[in-house]
C-alpha cells in the first residue's frame, strides 16, 4: 500500500508542467440531468449528474481500491424547502495501470451519479438554486491533476403541487434505473431518515422508528428522566410485581401520548419539537408538578385518581391515573430530544400531511424511547419488596422526595439568573443532606444502614458545596457574535466562513455543547478564522433569529450550520444534537478549508 502511494505521488510530482497546470474541469464535464422540466412541490424526485471524461482520463470511484487514493464524491446542499437525500454511486470499473500491482476502481467515459431530492409542500414556486460540489482527482496513465472541487448551482424550477409534471430525459433515466437500487451510496446531512422512510415499506419503517426511539436514550436530554423515574417508582410502597408492571406500562403510555402529540403538533405547524418549553408558564408548571409530586414522598398526601374513576375501576386500580399523568408530565421533558433522526422523521411526516401516520409514527418513536424506563421503573419499584419494611423505608421515600425537589429547581433554570439558580440549587442540596441525617429518627437501625445514611447525606452536601465552588473560565474564550443577516454579509465581505449555533435555554444538549465542546481551547482558537454566531431562540420573540430559522429550515435545537466564504451553507457539515470537541474540530477544519 505504501509502495503504491509512493508511486502515485511520484507520478504526480514528475508530471509535465502542462499537466500540473491543468484543472479537473479541463478533462471532465460535470452537469445535471433533470427528470422534470418543472418540479411540483410536495414530492420526492430522482436526479442524475453526468461526468464526461476526456478520452484517456479517469478518476477514482467512490470506493477506491486503495485507502490512500482520492474518492469521487458528490455533495448537494439543501436550500429553501428542497432537501437532498441519498446519493447513489455507480460501481467502478477495474482498470490495470502500469504503475499499480492491482487493478484500480475508476470512473471513465460517461458516468452518472444519482441523488434523491425532496421538495416540501410549502416551497414557494419559482427557481431555486442548490449548491453542488463534485470532489475528485483526474488522472491519465502518466500523471494526476491535483485533487479539486468542481462546483455548480443546480437550478430547480418548483411549481404548485397540483401543477402537471412533464418528464424529460426518459432514455437516460431508464438506462440508469438500476443505479438507484445500488447499495454503494451515502446520505446527505439529515435527509437520510426521510429517504429511508420513503424507500421502505411500513413494517420495516415502524421497526426502524422504534429502534430510533431506543437510540434516543443515548442523548443527554433524557438524563433528567432517570432520577424522576427512580424517585417516583422507588417511593411506591407495598406494590405487587404485577401491579407494578401495570403502573410502569401506564407511565410509558403517558410519556408516549405526550411525546407523540408534541411531535404531531410540530410536524403540522413546522414549529420546534418541544417548543412549548419556550414559554415560562409551561416551565413553571413542570417544576411545580415535580414539587407537588415530591410532597407525596414526604407523606403529605397520596396520589389518587378522581373518585369517579376509582369507583369505576375498583380500589385495586387506585393510583393508575396518577401514574399515567406522571408519564405525561415527563413526556414534555423528553420532548426536546432532537437530532438528525427526529429531524428526518419530522420532515417526512410534514411532507405527507397524514395525521394518523404522523401520530402513529411518533407514538412508535416514543414507545422505543420509553421501554428502558419501564425496566428502570420495575427495578426502582423492587425496593418496596425488600424484607423488613419499616421506618427505613420512610427514609428512602424522603431521599426520592428531595431528588424530585432538586429536579424541580433544575427545570426553573431558564427563568432564574445563573448566580441565583446556583445558590438555590446548592442550598437545597446542602439542606437535603442535613435533613436526611436527622429526619426521620430511626431506632434500632443496623450499622450498615447508618453507613448508607451518612454516605447519601454527605453526597448531597458535597454536590451542593461543589456548586458553590467558583469555576475557572477557559483560558481561550469563543468570540461570539449575534447571528444576523448583516453579520453574515460582513463575514462574507471578509472572506471568512461562518458557524451559527441555534440554541435555547431550555435545551439540555445545548447546555452540553456550552459546557463541554465550546470551552475547549482548540475549538475557541478557530474564532480567528471562523466567525462564530449564536441565535438564541429561547423565547421566540427575536425577529432576526426567527428569520434565520426559517431561512435555514431549522426545526429543532441544537442545530449548528456552517456557511462557506460565499455565504452558502455546507450542508454535509450541519449538526443536530451534541458532539464532543474532538469530532467538532473536524467540522471546523473542513469549514475553514
Amino acid at each position: 500500500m505504501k509502495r503504491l502511494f509512493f508511486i502515485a505521488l511520484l507520478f504526480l510530482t514528475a508530471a509535465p508542467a502542462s499537466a500540473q497546470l491543468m484543472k479537473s474541469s479541463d478533462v471532465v464535464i460535470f452537469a445535471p440531468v433533470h427528470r422534470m422540466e418543472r418540479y411540483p412541490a410536495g414530492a420526492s424526485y430522482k436526479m442524475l449528474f453526468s461526468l464526461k471524461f476526456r478520452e484517456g482520463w479517469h478518476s477514482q470511484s467512490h470506493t477506491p481500491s486503495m485507502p490512500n487514493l482520492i474518492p469521487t464524491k458528490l455533495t448537494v446542499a439543501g436550500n429553501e424547502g428542497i432537501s437532498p437525500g441519498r446519493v447513489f454511486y455507480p460501481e467502478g470499473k477495474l482498470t490495470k495501470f502500469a504503475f499499480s500491482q492491482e487493478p484500480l476502481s475508476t470512473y471513465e467515459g460517461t458516468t452518472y451519479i444519482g441523488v434523491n431530492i425532496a421538495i416540501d409542500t410549502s416551497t414557494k414556486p419559482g427557481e431555486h438554486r442548490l449548491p453542488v460540489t463534485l470532489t475528485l482527482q483526474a488522472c491519465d496513465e502518466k500523471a494526476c491533476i491535483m485533487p479539486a472541487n468542481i462546483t455548480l448551482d443546480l437550478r430547480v424550477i418548483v411549481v404548485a403541487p397540483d401543477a402537471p409534471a412533464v418528464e424529460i430525459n426518459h432514455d437516460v433515466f431508464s438506462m440508469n434505473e438500476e443505479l438507484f437500487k445500488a447499495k454503494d451510496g451515502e446520505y446527505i446531512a439529515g435527509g437520510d431518515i426521510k429517504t429511508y422512510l420513503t424507500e421502505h415499506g411500513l413494517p420495516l419503517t415502524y421497526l426502524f422508528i422504534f429502534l430510533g426511539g431506543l437510540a434516543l436514550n443515548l442523548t443527554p436530554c433524557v438524563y433528567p428522566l432517570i432520577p424522576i423515574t427512580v424517585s417516583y417508582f422507588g417511593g411506591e410502597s407495598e406494590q405487587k410485581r404485577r401491579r407494578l408492571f401495570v403502573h410502569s406500562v401506564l407511565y410509558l403510555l403517558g410519556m408516549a401520548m405526550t411525546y407523540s402529540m408534541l411531535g404531531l403538533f410540530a410536524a403540522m405547524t413546522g414549529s420546534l419539537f418541544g417548543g412549548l418549553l419556550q414559554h415560562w408558564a409551561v416551565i413553571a408548571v413542570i417544576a411545580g408538578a415535580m414539587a407537588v409530586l415530591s410532597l407525596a414522598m414526604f407523606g403529605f398526601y397520596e396520589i389518587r385518581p378522581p373518585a369517579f374513576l376509582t369507583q369505576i375501576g375498583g380500589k385495586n386500580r387506585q393510583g393508575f391515573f396518577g401514574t399515567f399523568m406522571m408519564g405525561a408530565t415527563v413526556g414534555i421533558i423528553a420532548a426536546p430530544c432532537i437530532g438528525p433522526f427526529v429531524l428526518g422523521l419530522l420532515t417526512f411526516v410534514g411532507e405527507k400531511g397524514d395525521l394518523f401516520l404522523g401520530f402513529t409514527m411518533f407514538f412508535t418513536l416514543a414507545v422505543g424511547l420509553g421501554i428502558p424506563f419501564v425496566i428502570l421503573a420495575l427495578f426502582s419499584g423492587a425496593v418496596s419488596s425488600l424484607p423488613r419494611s419499616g421506618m427505613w423505608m420512610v427514609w428512602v421515600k424522603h431521599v426520592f422526595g428531595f431528588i424530585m425537589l432538586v429536579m424541580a429547581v433544575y427545570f426553573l433554570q431558564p427563568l432564574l439568573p445563573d448566580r441565583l439558580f446556583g445558590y438555590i440549587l446548592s442550598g437545597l442540596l446542602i439542606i437535603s443532606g442535613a435533613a436526611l441525617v436527622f429526619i426521620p429518627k430511626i431506632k434500632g437501625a443496623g450499622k450498615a444502614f447508618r453507613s448508607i445514611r451518612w454516605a447519601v447525606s454527605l453526597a448531597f452536601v458535597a454536590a451542593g458545596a461543589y456548586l458553590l465552588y467558583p469555576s475557572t473560565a477557559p483560558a481561550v474564550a469563543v468570540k461570539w457574535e449575534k447571528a444576523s443577516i448583516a453579520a453574515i454579509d460582513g463575514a462574507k465581505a471578509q472572506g471568512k466562513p461562518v458557524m451559527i449555533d441555534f440554541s435555547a435555554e431550555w435545551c439540555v444538549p445545548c447546555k452540553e455543547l456550552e459546557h463541554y465542546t465550546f470551552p475547549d481551547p482548540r475549538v475557541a482558537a478557530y474564532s480567528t478564522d471562523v466567525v462564530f454566531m449564536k441565535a438564541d431562540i429561547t423565547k421566540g420573540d427575536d425577529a432576526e433569529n426567527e428569520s434565520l430559522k426559517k431561512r435555514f429550515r431549522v426545526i429543532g435545537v441544537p442545530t449548528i450550520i456552517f456557511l462557506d466564504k460565499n455565504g452558502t451553507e455546507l450542508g454535509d457539515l450541519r449538526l443536530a444534537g451534541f458532539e464532543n470537541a474532538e469530532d467538532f474540530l473536524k467540522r471546523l477544519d473542513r469549514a475553514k478549508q
Side-chain angles (χ1 to χ4, degrees), residues 137-159:
Q137 183 176 31
C139 303
D140 63 7
E141 291 193 358
K142 296 182 179 179
C144 287
I145 300 174
M146 292 294 293
N149 293 330
I150 303 176
T151 60
L152 58 83
D153 282 339
L154 175 63
R155 296 171 62 252
V156 178
I157 300 177
V158 178
V159 293

Side-chain angles (χ1 to χ4, degrees), residues 192-206:
D192 52 349
I193 306 303
K194 181 175 61 179
T195 304
Y196 181 92
L197 297 178
T198 302
E199 296 175 352
H200 293 74
L202 283 180
L204 282 178
T205 293
Y206 279 102

Side-chain angles (χ1 to χ4, degrees), residues 517-569:
T517 303
F518 296 146
D520 190 294
R522 296 170 298 172
V523 172
Y526 274 85
S527 295
T528 56
D529 302 308
V530 179
V531 180
F532 284 61
M533 299 184 187
K534 186 175 289 291
D536 187 352
I537 55 177
T538 300
K539 298 180 180 179
D541 57 358
D542 188 305
E544 187 78 49
N545 289 340
E546 290 299 306
S547 176
L548 289 173
K549 188 180 76 173
K550 292 179 181 179
R551 175 178 176 178
F552 294 109
R553 302 176 65 244
V554 174
I555 301 177
V557 289
T559 295
I560 299 177
I561 66 172
F562 295 85
L563 310 179
D564 63 15
K565 297 176 182 179
N566 299 317
T568 302
E569 182 183 355

Side-chain angles (χ1 to χ4, degrees), residues 362-418:
F362 275 102
F363 191 88
T364 303
L365 181 77
V367 170
L369 171 69
I371 286 294
F373 289 95
V374 172
I375 299 173
L376 182 62
L378 292 172
F379 174 78
S380 304
V383 174
S384 61
S385 62
L386 292 176
R388 295 184 180 181
S389 61
M391 286 302 295
W392 75 272
M393 282 293 299
V394 177
W395 179 84
V396 171
K397 293 182 68 173
H398 286 183
V399 172
F400 294 139
F402 282 122
I403 291 176
M404 298 191 79
L405 280 178
V406 170
M407 294 307 302
V409 174
Y410 169 82
F411 286 110
L412 288 175
Q413 182 178 4
L415 307 180
L416 300 173
D418 289 341

